[in-house]
Amino acid sequence: MIEQETLTKRIMKDERTGKAVCPYCGVGCVISATVRDNMITKISADAALAPNYGMLCPKGAHLKQVFQRPDGRLAYPMLRERRGEPPRRVTWDEAIAFIANRLQDIQLAHGKDALAFYGSGQLDTEASYVFNKLFKGFLRTNNVDTNSRLCMSSAVAGYVQSFGSDGPPTCYEDIQHADVFLIIGANMAVNHPVLFQMIRKRRAMEANTRIVTVDPRRTQTAAFSDIHVPLAPGSDVAFLQIIAKRLLAIGRIERRFVRRHTENFNAYQNHLEGLDEDALLAACGIHPARIDELVEYLSKPSRLLSFYCQGTNQSTSGVDKNVALINLHLQLGEVGIRGAGPFSLTGQPNAMGGREVGYLAHQLPGYRVVTNDMHRAYVEGAWRLPPGSIDAKPGLTAVPMFEAAAKGDVRALWIACTNPAVSMPDTKVSQEGLRRADLVIVQDCYYPTETAEYADVLLPAAQWGEKIGTMTNSERLVVRSEQFLTPPGEAMPDWWIFAQVAKTIGFKQSFDFHSSEAVWDEYRMLTAGTPCDQLGMTNERLAKTSLRWPCPHPRHPGTLRRYTRRRFLTPSGKAQFHTPVYRPPEEKPDADFPLGLTTGRVASQWHTRTRTGKVPQLVKKEPEPFVEIHPDDADAYEVRDGEWVYLVSRRGRCYARARVTETIRRGLLFTPFHWGDLFHAETNANNVTTSAADPVSKQPELKFCAVRIEAA
Ligand SMILES: Nc1nc2c(c(=O)[nH]1)N[C@H]1C(S)=C(S)[C@@H](COP(=O)(O)OP(=O)(O)OC[C@H]3O[C@@H](n4cnc5c(=O)[nH]c(N)nc54)[C@H](O)[C@@H]3O)O[C@H]1N2
Ligand SMILES: Nc1nc2c(c(=O)[nH]1)N[C@H]1C(S)=C(S)[C@@H](COP(=O)(O)OP(=O)(O)OC[C@H]3O[C@@H](n4cnc5c(=O)[nH]c(N)nc54)[C@H](O)[C@@H]3O)O[C@H]1N2
Ligand code: SF4
Ligand SMILES: [Mo]
């Protein structure tokens, strides 16, 4: 395999430095690694480079330690004759021929939609482009979805409904100009630490700035804020509408902006005026003083910058929450100007790039959608496919994909760069889907993982630092990562693996990419003229600098802020007011399951811990699963601090060590979802969570389900 050698086997003897986007959160810090003899000797960040200007959080700073533990890497392709048996090493040729044959057999026997692909916002743009092209274009199934469905799909739908297009209007520089920071449903101190550091610096330097955090828990973020609004879980729409209604009542409307650049304001105003403020307040379960304080801040013109993440997205009313927040910005004219706007935080390093590539079940590259005839025809033309090749019907989204596998409708599941046996809501279903499918392909850089236990084929991926690839961070900044490490064994870049299978199936010409740069060039062309235009980001430019889209031609400097002319991407060019109605979370507590459970993250761990779980400095900070419980509830249910308890829901149970604390609301529990079955049987929080989802975005409610607590 000469091609493979030239792509990855560049052992670097001399000490040298390479830079790459941090493989963890969507802040997208650029990290410099000094390497000697294929070992990282130092991790640092360049004070002159966007977006982090020298800052790193402990996860990024401890990347060196990740590579000091070479065990646990998946280094060779492997096949498993029978489930439950150890896999045996095979050559790439064998593995790829096996996959190509099996996919075609299954397609022939059961139809195109018996195939499904489940990917990740941690794959680079090149990889995401190639799998999307293979499945939606050439295997002709839109059964392509990613963990972004569990993460970003409500944010996508919110932006599309209000502005006519996905993607944030804002950039990190806005932090330097904002007056009021509204952080709603995001624990930035923990999950976007470097960005939160920038906010704290601004707060320290400008005495008049204010930070408001809206979260049912008094998080680290809330602790650093001027106001903490400990609202009842799921009540964000009610909360935002009280604020908007009160501001309307005192005439806080940016009338000129509203008249010239928005539509549907009258309906919005009537809707708000008709709402019963007491009922909304009761739904939020907060002291009215919190409302007064925020209304006071916003009653005079002030630059409002709002950050939001899973506390709004992962909800059965996730899209409504996002739209209610954008409504508030439209009412105040706080969008398209410096220091203001609704800023959706992306979780994973390339969740933004994946959206641009169109890797959700209803999307196509360049913010196109499969349901639009012109969009399909354009992409078919670019891919040199006969008209009608791309299905006009959206494919299965994440949860229904695994449900279909559990029913035997989806027969082949290809999973890359995600660990759904741990991270999907209600893991009974995802695990049953994995068990029942005839063919499970798992492409990861580590082995074992919980999902790999179900795999028939294991494909070794090169990981961070071991390949060239491009990612887009939360502020639309597109950054090219360099290769400075040689991957172990025969691990290969993800895009190469997808292209190799495509060529073996018979799509030789369309997947004849010889480098990731060649993939980028093809993708970049497809974005021309779209809202996320990256045509001007040539390989030459990306090798030297990073750029924010839209960037339509090779001399274009990129775009710091969008909508500065107040022209939106709806057919009329005007932003849309909507009239969402507050709905509580779908699952209600009752006598058997009297408590609410919300789930999330800790600062020192990343998701299912395949990397951060190997770094002693990080593990020591949170060594085991825990559950936060209010002292009153601890009394009522006879739970002592530090004791192990079971959380039991209508679907299953998990256990964790009780942490009695006043930082959580009464009636609510919180547990992180980092500890899967490889840590210990029954520690996975997702044994308990519900797959009830937002009706529009299909994003599951990972932020609320009903449970009871039992002694373990
Ligand atoms: N350390 C670390 N950082 C990460 C990650 C990680 O695994 N570890 N993962 C990354 C990824 S992929 C993502 S998506 C982001 C997620 O980043 P965040 O969204 O900040 O993370 P979460 O902890 O899931 O949830 C945020 C907060 O929402 C609150 N919340 C729950 N219900 C509600 C509600 O109804 N309303 C409101 N307003 N708040 C609510 C929770 O109490 C929690 O504090 O983090 C990224 N960064
Ligand atoms: N209860 C609950 N569940 C949740 C959430 C929650 O808040 N609560 N949050 C949801 C959200 S927002 C997210 S984003 C998901 C995250 O959930 P997952 O995506 O399942 O979590 P990760 O552990 O990040 O899995 C990434 C996998 O990719 C592998 N990997 C890393 N780099 C590469 C690479 O370059 N190539 C390949 N092929 N593999 C690689 C890692 O080893 C790891 O196995 O979890 C979701 N699940
Ligand atoms: S803030 Fe996010 S991107 Fe930056 S170093 Fe930490 S985990 Fe990495
Ligand atoms: Mo996420």
Side-chain angles (χ1 to χ4, degrees):
M1 286 223 169
I2 294 161
E3 190 191 6
Q4 188 190 330
E5 301 272 307
T6 55
L7 272 172
T8 58
K9 303 286 152 180
R10 305 176 194 157
I11 298 259
M12 292 114 189
K13 282 275 174 228
D14 306 330
E15 186 166 274
R16 53 110 108 206
T17 306
K19 72 171 174 54
V21 181
C22 175
Y24 300 121
C25 87
V27 175
C29 294
V30 174
I31 294 181
S32 297
T34 308
V35 176
R36 177 183 274 279
D37 292 335
N38 213 36
M39 286 298 281
I40 298 178
T41 53
K42 188 176 157 219
I43 290 285
S44 60
D46 187 332
L49 276 190
N52 47 316
Y53 301 103
M55 288 184 272
L56 291 177
C57 82
K59 286 191 303 306
H62 282 104
L63 272 163
K64 176 175 139 184
Q65 285 76 4
V66 169
F67 291 87
Q68 285 170 342
R69 281 274 309 271
D71 58 310
R73 283 300 296 270
L74 177 60
Y76 299 95
M78 307 227 258
L79 278 182
R80 201 178 251 136
E81 306 306 338
R82 222 165 295 120
R83 301 265 175 92
E85 289 180 4
R88 70 180 165 89
R89 181 174 160 183
V90 293
T91 64
W92 270 114
D93 285 344
E94 275 176 272
I96 284 167
F98 178 84
I99 292 171
N101 284 331
R102 291 290 285 131
L103 287 178
Q104 289 176 94
D105 288 349
I106 290 172
Q107 195 185 38
L108 215 62
H110 303 285
K112 63 186 185 58
D113 290 328
L115 311 183
F117 183 91
Y118 186 60
S120 165
Q122 293 166 67
L123 287 166
D124 53 38
T125 298
E126 290 84 350
S128 304
Y129 177 73
V130 181
F131 76 67
N132 212 26
K133 179 177 179 183
L134 171 60
F135 275 79
K136 288 185 184 150
F138 288 76
L139 296 172
R140 300 186 172 196
T141 177
N142 290 335
N143 288 343
V144 173
D145 216 43
T146 61
N147 58 8
S148 273
R149 182 69 59 185
L150 317 178
C151 182
M152 305 314 323
S153 56
S154 296
V156 175
Y159 276 143
V160 170
Q161 287 194 0
S162 299
F163 298 144
S165 165
D166 187 19
T170 39
C171 60
Y172 297 167
E173 200 214 70
D174 285 320
I175 294 171
Q176 309 313 325
H177 307 281
D179 300 317
V180 178
F181 296 96
L182 177 60
I183 302 175
I184 177 161
N187 186 3
M188 291 180 75
V190 161
N191 299 314
H192 296 90
V194 164
L195 216 48
F196 192 63
Q197 202 51 34
M198 294 182 201
I199 296 177
R200 287 190 67 196
K201 276 192 188 162
R202 164 81 180 158
R203 175 79 184 81
M205 280 164 59
E206 276 297 326
N208 293 327
T209 55
R210 292 286 179 269
I211 306 176
V212 181
T213 294
V214 184
D215 193 307
R217 302 186 299 135
R218 193 164 77 237
T219 57
Q220 282 185 42
T221 311
F224 287 123
S225 303
D226 298 283
I227 306 179
H228 170 219
V229 183
L231 84 180
S235 67
D236 303 70
V237 170
F239 168 74
L240 288 161
Q241 289 184 333
I242 308 176
I243 302 292
K245 189 176 157 80
R246 291 276 296 275
L247 290 169
L248 267 181
I250 58 168
R252 265 291 280 140
I253 307 156
E254 189 62 28
R255 292 197 190 275
R256 205 175 125 93
F257 171 81
V258 166
R259 199 173 49 244
R260 295 173 66 166
H261 304 295
T262 70
E263 280 175 342
N264 216 23
F265 178 73
N266 287 343
Y268 168 75
Q269 185 167 21
N270 292 340
H271 176 67
L272 288 187
E273 282 171 1
L275 294 174
D276 175 357
E277 194 176 318
D278 293 337
L280 294 178
L281 197 61
C284 297
I286 50 175
H287 198 283
R290 299 291 89 75
I291 303 274
D292 298 341
E293 287 162 346
L294 183 55
V295 168
E296 160 79 27
Y297 290 168
L298 296 177
S299 63
K300 33 194 182 301
S302 42
R303 293 288 95 115
L304 173 66
L305 189 61
S306 301
F307 289 98
Y308 54 105
C309 202
Q310 301 316 330
T312 66
N313 292 343
Q314 287 173 340
S315 159
T316 44
S317 56
V319 180
D320 285 350
K321 289 179 177 190
N322 288 341
V323 161
L325 177 65
I326 300 174
N327 279 343
L328 179 64
H329 278 265
L330 293 178
Q331 173 182 337
L332 300 175
E334 293 290 314
V335 61
I337 48 178
R338 222 164 60 159
F343 201 156
S344 150
L345 294 162
T346 41
Q348 301 170 92
N350 200 35
M352 186 71 71
R355 282 144 72 173
E356 293 148 21
V357 161
Y359 70 6
L360 294 173
H362 64 291
Q363 297 176 323
L364 288 172
Y367 281 174
R368 294 180 178 91
V369 286
V370 299
T371 45
N372 182 308
D373 295 346
M374 273 154 56
H375 290 181
R376 279 197 320 282
Y378 186 90
V379 176
E380 284 163 354
W383 287 346
R384 298 207 182 88
L385 285 167
S389 296
I390 300 175
D391 198 335
K393 206 169 103 267
L396 294 167
T397 61
V399 171
M401 183 184 284
F402 285 87
E403 285 170 352
K407 276 193 293 194
D409 294 338
V410 160
R411 302 278 180 144
L413 268 175
W414 188 339
I415 293 156
C417 201
T418 176
N419 195 359
V422 182
S423 57
M424 291 283 284
D426 191 5
T427 46
K428 228 177 25 273
V429 176
S430 64
Q431 292 176 5
E432 182 53 26
L434 288 162
R435 201 172 293 120
R436 176 92 195 265
D438 297 335
L439 173 66
V440 175
I441 304 161
V442 171
Q443 179 170 326
D444 205 290
C445 41
Y446 285 93
Y447 181 82
T449 68
E450 287 83 353
T451 304
E453 291 308 295
Y454 300 89
D456 303 294
V457 193
L458 291 151
L459 302 176
Q463 69 155 323
W464 184 83
E466 299 169 347
K467 60 186 169 189
I468 300 168
T470 314
M471 293 190 170
T472 313
N473 77 358
S474 279
E475 58 159 352
R476 292 171 285 106
L477 185 75
V478 179
V479 182
R480 173 70 48 87
S481 289
E482 296 171 351
Q483 187 196 343
F484 40 81
L485 292 168
T486 301
E490 293 178 1
M492 290 297 288
D494 293 284
W495 69 265
W496 180 92
I497 302 173
F498 300 129
Q500 222 55 24
V501 172
K503 286 195 279 189
T504 308
I505 294 178
F507 312 124
K508 186 135 187 34
Q509 276 188 340
S510 304
F511 291 86
D512 201 15
F513 301 112
H514 289 278
S515 63
S516 64
E517 286 89 344
V519 179
W520 176 260
D521 262 338
E522 181 176 312
Y523 164 66
R524 165 173 84 84
M525 303 290 175
L526 258 172
T527 66
T530 68
C532 55
D533 199 329
Q534 290 159 51
L535 187 67
M537 300 187 190
T538 59
N539 285 308
E540 294 69 33
R541 289 184 89 186
L542 287 179
K544 284 186 255 149
T545 187
S546 52
L547 293 153
R548 288 173 199 82
W549 59 256
C551 178
H553 60 78
R555 280 172 315 282
H556 192 283
T559 307
L560 203 54
R561 251 169 232 108
R562 297 167 80 205
Y563 308 130
T564 49
R565 298 209 182 122
R566 278 43 202 304
R567 298 271 307 278
F568 297 92
L569 293 164
T570 53
S572 62
K574 295 180 177 190
Q576 302 295 306
F577 278 102
H578 291 277
T579 52
V581 175
Y582 160 70
R583 287 173 286 125
E586 210 162 283
E587 187 163 271
K588 311 273 181 298
D590 60 15
D592 289 337
F593 303 98
L595 294 163
L597 172 70
T598 193
T599 63
R601 299 160 162 78
V602 299
S604 54
Q605 288 302 317
W606 177 261
H607 298 163
T608 72
R609 297 172 78 250
T610 57
R611 280 181 295 226
T612 48
K614 296 182 173 70
V615 179
Q617 293 89 333
L618 297 177
V619 169
K620 162 169 106 202
K621 291 189 183 151
E622 288 296 0
E624 60 196 14
F626 63 88
V627 54
E628 292 175 358
I629 179 168
H630 190 275
D632 293 353
D633 293 322
D635 275 351
Y637 299 100
E638 295 174 355
V639 172
R640 279 185 314 274
D641 189 50
E643 122 185 286
W644 287 91
V645 291
Y646 273 116
L647 308 178
V648 186
S649 78
R650 297 183 173 99
R651 291 152 296 276
R653 67 178 193 180
C654 66
Y655 66 93
R657 202 187 276 284
R659 204 172 267 184
V660 179
T661 167
E662 283 186 343
T663 59
I664 190 150
R665 277 180 71 96
R666 246 176 238 106
L668 186 67
L669 308 172
F670 167 81
T671 191
F673 74 103
H674 299 297
W675 289 274
D677 288 341
L678 285 179
F679 178 78
H680 208 285
E682 294 203 301
T683 50
N684 187 354
N686 281 321
N687 296 348
V688 171
T689 51
T690 168
S691 50
D694 181 278
V696 175
S697 70
K698 313 291 179 214
Q699 179 159 350
E701 170 77 85
L702 289 158
K703 289 290 178 267
F704 194 83
C705 69
V707 295
R708 68 169 167 262
I709 200 158
E710 286 176 5

